[in-house]
Amino acid sequence: MSRQISGRPVLRVSLFITCYNDTLFPNTGKAVVRVLERLGHTVDFPAGQTCCGQMHWNTGYQAEALPLLSRFVEQFRGAEAVVVPSSSCVAMMRDHYPKMAEELADVKLKAEVAELLPNVYEFSEFLTKRLGLEDVGAYYPHRVTYHASCHGLRNLGLGDGPQRLLKAVRGIDLVEIAGLEQCCGFGGTFAVKNAEVSSAMLAEKTTAILNTKAEACTACDNSCLMHIQGALHRQRTGVQTVHLAEILAGDEVGA
Amino acid sequence: MSGTALDPRTAPTFPMAALTAMGDTQLRKNVRHATDVIQAKRARVVNEMPDWQALRESGKQIRQHTMEHLDYYLEEFEKNCTAAGGVVHWARDAAEARQIIVTLVKGLGATEVIKIKSMTTEEIQLNTALEAAGVHAYETDLAELIIQLGHDQPSHIVVPALHKNRQQIREIFKREMNLPELGESPQDLADAARTFLREKFLRVKTGVSGANFLIAETGGVCVVESEGNGRMCLTLPETLITVAGIDKVVPRFADLEVLLQLLPRSATGERMNPYNSVWTGVDVNGDGPKAFHVILMDNARTEILGDLEGRQTLNCIRCGACQNACPVYRQTGGHAYGSVYAGPIGAILTPQLQQMHHSQSLPYASSLCGACYEVCPVKINIPEVLIHLRNKVVKQNGMLNPEALAMRMMGIIFKSEGKFRAAQRLGRMAEAPLVRKDGRGQGWIGWLPGLLGGWTQVRDLQSMPEETFRDWWEKRESSKKQGVPRG
Ligand code: SF4
C-alpha cells in the first residue's frame, strides 16, 4: 500500500548529507529534513555514509576516490530517492561514477551505479523535477540574492529551478546578482593552490553581492558559500550566506 | 612582458606567473574589457542560431572521426596536395619544422618573409629561428604586428594583442613607425599599419602562413581572417610556405560548411569571417604563388592521439572562445600560462605538447567551472581533460609530499564511518586554539598554517559546530525511539 499526500505518493528519501555538510553545515542537513518532512515525506540517513570522492577525484587522486564509489553504492543501494544538498557532489556522481565503475572493471557495480544514479537528486532538483513543486510553504522575510554554483548550473542543468523555489517563498525580497553565471573562484583545492587568482575571482563575486544590497546570499552548494562567506566575514560586511534549504525550511511563526 | 618568446620549458609555475600578471592593473582592465566585449558579441550570434547545439555536435563528430583516422586523411591530403602542385614536407617536431622552413627560405636566397598570423609558427618559435638565419619576418596581422613592434608576446590565440588597449598600441606605433603625430582613432591606427605593411606586401617575395584547416579531399589549405592582410600574403608572394599541425586536417571540403559556421561565431562573434581563403596547389600560368610548400608537423600530437582521454584536445579549432569565457584567464591574461596557448585550451594542450615534462601547474589553473566546455564549438570536455592530466601529475609527484600524504590520509578516513567521526572530533580539537568568536557567538578562524594558509589569506573560515549532522540525527532517532517529544 502506498501512502499519498494530496494525490502524490509519499517517498522514502535517503539523505546523503556529504562529508563537509555533515562536519561544517549541520543546519543545512536539518533544514533538508525539515522541508521534506513538512511536505509529508519520510527521511532516512544511512549511517555508514562519508564522502562522494569529489575532492580526491578533482585534484587528481583517482586511486583514493575509487573505493568511495562502492561505499556509496553499499549505503544507498535500493533507495527510492537519494537527496544531496550539494550540487557539486551530485555532479561528481553523475559525471564520473559510471566511468569509475568502468575503470574498476566491476560489472555488478556498474549495473548498480546505472540503477542508482537516476534516483540521485540535488536538493532543489528533487523538489522541482521529481516532486514538481515550486511553493514548499516557506517564509523568509529577508532580501536575498541567489548565486548559481557552476556545477549546478552547467553539469546538472538546474536552470532557474532554484530561483522559482525562492520566488515562491513568502516575504522574500529576491534580487538578481550581476554576472550570475560567473564562477565565484572556489574550485575546491584551486582555492589554496591558486589562492591569488581564486581571491581575485572572489572579489568580483562579493562586489556583485554587495551591489545587490542583499542581507544574504544563497546557493545550492555550501562549498561555494563557505568561500564567499569567508570573504564577506573577513571584510565584516554583515552579509550572511545561507543554503537554499535553510531558506525553504523557514516557517512563519504562528502560521 | 619582454621580447623573449613564451617557452613552457622555462616558464615559472602558473601561480607565480599569475601573481606577476595580476600586479598589472592596466593589463587586467584591458583583458576584462576585451573578453567582455567578445563574449557579448559571441552570445548574440550564437543565440540567433536555432541549431547551434546540433552544429556543435556535428563539429565534434567531424573532428573526432578525423582523429580516429588521422593517418588516412593525412596521406590523402599529401596525395591531393602534391597532385595540385604543392610540395608536402613532414616534420617530427618543432626543430625539424624550423629547419625545413629555414632551408627553404635560404634556398630562395630570401632575407625577408611576410607572415600571416599563425599560432603554430609561435609554438615553434619560428621568427627567432629565421632571425638567427639572417631572415627577417614581418608579421602582417594587425595584432601580431603590434606584438612584434612592441617586443611583446601573444596572449590570446585569436586576438594576440588582447592585453593592449588603443593608447598603448598608439604609443608602440608612434615609436616603432616613427610617427610622432599619429592620432588615436581606430582609423588612424589602421591607416598607419596599412601604410607600413603595404610596402612589404609589394616587396617581399616569400610568404609564411599557418592553416585553419587542411582539406584532405582536395589537398587545399584554408585560412580565415578579418583583415585581408592574410589574403595579400597568400596571393602576392612568389613562394608560399604553410606550416600546420597534423591535427588541422579535415576529411572533406563539405566539412567546412559546419566548421566555418562554428569558428567565426565562436572566435570573433562574426557570422562569417570577412576573408575565407582556400588555396589548392599552384597555377603556374595564373595568379598567385608559383611554388607552394606545406609542412605537416607532429610535435607531440601523435602522443596526444595515443592517449584516449587526452585525445579530444586535438579536436580544437583554435577559436579562443574558452579563453574569453574563462574566469581565470579573465584575471591573469594569457602570458601567465607561459605558452602561446593560454587559457583553458592552453591548460590542457601545453602540458601534453610538453609530454608532461613541463607545465605541470597548468592543469590546476582552473576552478573546473565548466564555462569553457559550455562555449567550445566542438564540445571538448576541458574539465574532464584537466582532471585526467591532474591525475598524471599526481602520479609523477609520488606519494611522499605533504599534499599527497594528506590526501591519502583523507582517503583512509573516508573509508570508515568510525575513522570519519574520530577525524571530525580531532578537527574540532585541533582548530580550537585558532577560533575567535564574533558578536553572534559564531566562531571564526582568521589564520591557518601551511597549505591551508592560502585560504585565510583573504577569507575567514567558520569554525566547526559543536555537533555534526550525524550526531544530531542519532540523538533525534534515539529520542524518537524513547518516545521523547522532539523539539
Ligand atoms: S578548446 Fe574549444 S573553445 Fe577552446 S579554442 Fe579550442 S575549439 Fe575553441
Side-chain angles (χ1 to χ4, degrees):
Chain A
M1 176 195 90
S2 87
R3 287 196 296 138
Q4 309 242 313
I5 326 160
S6 52
R8 273 194 226 98
V10 169
L11 292 171
R12 184 167 177 78
V13 178
S14 301
L15 172 61
F16 179 43
I17 184 72
T18 76
C19 63
Y20 73 97
N21 278 321
D22 181 25
T23 312
L24 300 167
F25 303 100
N27 287 340
T28 298
K30 292 178 205 171
V32 171
V33 174
R34 171 83 192 121
V35 173
L36 294 176
E37 289 185 346
R38 194 172 62 200
L39 291 170
H41 302 284
T42 57
V43 180
D44 76 273
F45 181 78
Q49 60 176 283
T50 57
C51 168
C52 70
Q54 182 185 191
M55 179 187 68
H56 284 108
W57 186 267
N58 282 355
T59 313
Y61 293 84
Q62 268 61 350
E64 278 68 26
L66 287 173
L68 298 172
L69 167 62
S70 15
R71 183 169 194 88
F72 177 80
V73 172
E74 264 161 41
Q75 292 295 317
F76 289 92
R77 177 180 289 134
E80 217 175 329
V82 180
V83 166
V84 192
S86 167
S87 53
S88 57
C89 299
V90 178
M92 163 71 200
M93 297 189 255
R94 252 180 232 169
D95 292 353
H96 304 300
Y97 274 12
K99 204 170 56 193
M100 286 162 76
E102 190 99 28
E103 223 158 279
L104 288 164
D106 184 334
V107 185
K108 183 159 164 277
L109 186 66
K110 212 179 124 185
E112 287 191 298
V113 167
E115 201 184 305
L116 188 51
L117 276 185
N119 295 325
V120 176
Y121 298 91
E122 182 277 323
F123 172 69
S124 75
E125 188 182 43
F126 178 75
L127 297 176
T128 54
K129 293 192 184 161
R130 176 75 192 256
L131 301 182
L133 292 175
E134 286 183 6
D135 186 350
V136 296
Y139 173 68
Y140 195 82
H142 299 285
R143 189 170 170 94
V144 173
T145 190
Y146 170 74
H147 163 63
S149 293
C150 298
H151 286 97
L153 180 74
R154 301 199 175 88
N155 304 49
L156 306 185
L158 295 184
D160 65 349
Q163 285 109 312
R164 282 188 281 119
L165 288 164
L166 286 167
K167 275 186 197 137
V169 171
R170 281 188 308 283
I172 202 168
D173 176 12
L174 188 66
V175 254
E176 188 166 325
I177 191 173
L180 177 71
E181 303 196 346
Q182 183 118 339
C183 177
C184 69
F186 173 61
T189 47
F190 173 77
V192 288
K193 279 178 178 280
N194 278 286
E196 296 288 334
V197 183
S198 170
S199 303
M201 290 160 72
L202 176 56
E204 282 202 43
K205 188 55 73 183
T206 50
T207 305
I209 292 170
L210 295 176
N211 283 342
T212 65
K213 306 252 189 309
E215 296 156 75
C217 171
T218 190
C220 297
D221 202 315
N222 273 329
S223 58
C224 310
L225 290 181
M226 177 171 73
H227 160 81
I228 292 170
Q229 181 189 41
L232 290 175
H233 185 264
R234 172 64 60 90
Q235 298 160 29
R236 305 301 190 260
T237 60
V239 178
Q240 308 282 327
T241 57
V242 52
H243 191 281
L244 180 85
E246 292 171 52
I247 291 182
L248 299 187
D251 290 305
E252 194 155 6
V253 185
Chain B
M1 187 48 53
S2 73
T4 357
L6 292 165
D7 189 338
R9 291 166 301 180
T10 53
T13 64
F14 183 79
M16 281 176 63
L19 184 64
T20 313
M22 285 169 52
D24 188 337
T25 307
Q26 180 71 67
L27 174 136
R28 293 179 69 183
K29 179 182 171 282
N30 296 348
V31 172
R32 268 201 301 269
H33 173 73
T35 52
D36 277 345
V37 170
I38 310 174
Q39 279 196 89
K41 278 174 77 179
R42 176 201 166 273
R44 217 168 24 244
V45 297
V46 162
N47 292 339
E48 71 186 19
M49 300 282 281
D51 61 343
W52 183 253
Q53 295 309 331
L55 264 177
R56 283 178 81 214
E57 183 56 32
S58 307
K60 174 185 165 174
Q61 295 296 339
I62 291 170
R63 297 297 290 148
Q64 202 166 296
H65 169 85
T66 311
M67 292 310 145
E68 279 160 11
H69 306 281
L70 191 57
D71 52 343
Y72 173 81
Y73 288 118
L74 282 170
E75 283 179 9
E76 194 188 359
F77 174 81
E78 180 184 35
K79 190 180 82 202
N80 291 328
C81 180
T82 310
V87 184
V88 176
H89 309 256
W90 298 83
R92 202 169 306 145
D93 53 24
E96 268 189 29
R98 284 191 298 260
Q99 203 206 333
I100 293 167
I101 299 166
V102 169
T103 310
L104 284 172
V105 174
K106 297 293 278 185
L108 295 166
T111 55
E112 306 175 305
V113 298
I114 45 175
K115 278 186 69 200
I116 308 178
K117 173 178 167 291
S118 150
M119 284 300 117
T120 311
T121 62
E122 298 279 1
E123 174 188 331
I124 65 174
Q125 298 177 20
L126 180 64
N127 289 6
T128 320
L130 286 172
E131 220 52 71
V135 178
H136 185 71
Y138 293 102
E139 295 292 349
T140 66
D141 173 79
L142 184 56
E144 284 283 40
L145 178 66
I146 295 162
I147 297 292
Q148 186 175 40
L149 295 179
H151 310 287
D152 200 348
Q153 295 302 323
S155 70
H156 187 284
I157 56 176
V158 172
V159 196
L162 177 128
H163 58 290
K164 293 281 186 220
N165 69 13
R166 210 191 319 145
Q167 285 71 28
Q168 291 169 304
I169 294 166
R170 173 168 173 257
E171 286 308 315
I172 295 169
F173 280 10
K174 260 168 71 175
R175 192 175 65 232
E176 300 291 322
M177 294 176 181
N178 196 17
L179 298 169
E181 306 295 316
L182 182 62
E184 64 168 31
S185 72
Q187 190 61 46
D188 292 333
L189 300 178
D191 285 348
R194 185 171 293 128
T195 316
F196 181 83
L197 289 173
R198 181 128 314 166
E199 180 255 334
K200 272 93 190 166
F201 286 133
L202 296 173
R203 188 183 74 215
V204 180
K205 300 275 178 273
T206 312
V208 174
S209 89
N212 286 102
F213 303 106
L214 307 168
I215 305 153
E217 178 188 42
T218 63
V221 177
C222 172
V223 159
V224 300
E225 40 135 7
S226 301
E227 294 160 5
N229 292 345
R231 181 160 297 172
M232 301 265 221
C233 294
L234 301 173
T235 47
L236 291 170
E238 287 167 6
T239 303
L240 175 60
I241 302 170
T242 297
V243 53
I246 53 172
D247 51 315
K248 292 290 176 72
V249 74
V250 293
R252 301 168 307 161
F253 186 77
D255 295 327
L256 297 183
E257 186 252 336
V258 172
L259 297 169
L260 291 189
Q261 290 189 72
L262 290 170
L263 180 56
R265 286 176 195 261
S266 300
T268 47
E270 292 168 302
R271 295 189 175 91
M272 195 178 178
N273 281 101
Y275 295 88
N276 299 273
S277 310
V278 179
W279 65 99
T280 310
V282 290
D283 179 357
V284 275
N285 301 314
D287 283 343
K290 300 290 171 272
F292 171 49
H293 298 266
V294 183
I295 294 106
L296 299 176
M297 180 181 73
D298 183 343
N299 208 25
R301 284 155 177 82
T302 341
E303 274 77 14
I304 302 178
L305 196 63
D307 175 355
L308 281 184
E309 288 186 70
R311 170 186 284 189
Q312 55 178 314
T313 311
L314 296 177
N315 297 352
C316 175
I317 57 172
R318 304 287 190 269
C319 73
C322 58
Q323 303 184 312
N324 305 325
C326 179
V328 174
Y329 180 94
R330 176 185 175 82
Q331 301 300 337
T332 65
H335 295 153
Y337 293 78
S339 153
V340 293
Y341 304 113
I345 180 60
I348 58 171
L349 180 60
T350 306
Q352 294 186 86
L353 287 178
Q354 297 299 321
Q355 299 178 266
M356 302 309 289
H357 295 313
H358 304 279
S359 315
Q360 289 97 334
S361 65
L362 287 183
Y364 290 95
S366 162
S367 63
L368 303 179
C369 79
C372 47
Y373 180 27
E374 191 175 36
V375 296
C376 178
V378 290
K379 291 171 80 168
I380 300 174
N381 190 335
I382 296 177
E384 185 178 277
V385 181
L386 286 167
I387 294 172
H388 172 63
L389 299 179
R390 288 176 182 190
N391 186 226
K392 289 191 176 201
V393 175
V394 163
K395 285 184 183 151
Q396 275 182 354
N397 290 349
M399 290 311 277
L400 288 175
N401 58 81
E403 180 195 288
L405 288 170
M407 285 289 181
R408 181 187 275 179
M409 204 165 73
M410 296 287 278
I412 294 169
I413 289 168
F414 288 145
K415 274 197 239 175
S416 121
E417 192 211 344
K419 290 202 182 83
F420 183 48
R421 296 187 94 142
Q424 288 175 324
R425 281 193 297 273
L426 201 69
R428 220 164 16 235
M429 273 154 59
E431 70 166 24
L434 302 171
V435 175
R436 301 279 171 275
K437 291 262 161 54
D438 71 7
R440 294 189 306 152
Q442 169 64 52
W444 292 93
I445 298 168
W447 176 88
L448 284 167
L451 294 175
L452 299 173
W455 182 273
T456 44
Q457 194 174 290
V458 295
R459 315 165 191 85
D460 292 334
L461 183 66
Q462 196 181 308
S463 70
M464 288 165 69
E466 296 295 317
E467 191 182 52
T468 63
F469 175 79
R470 70 182 68 219
D471 290 340
W472 173 82
W473 178 268
E474 257 174 22
K475 265 194 219 156
R476 192 178 95 128
E477 290 303 286
S478 66
S479 64
K480 258 203 249 170
K481 273 192 208 114
Q482 289 159 14
V484 179
R486 64 173 205 256

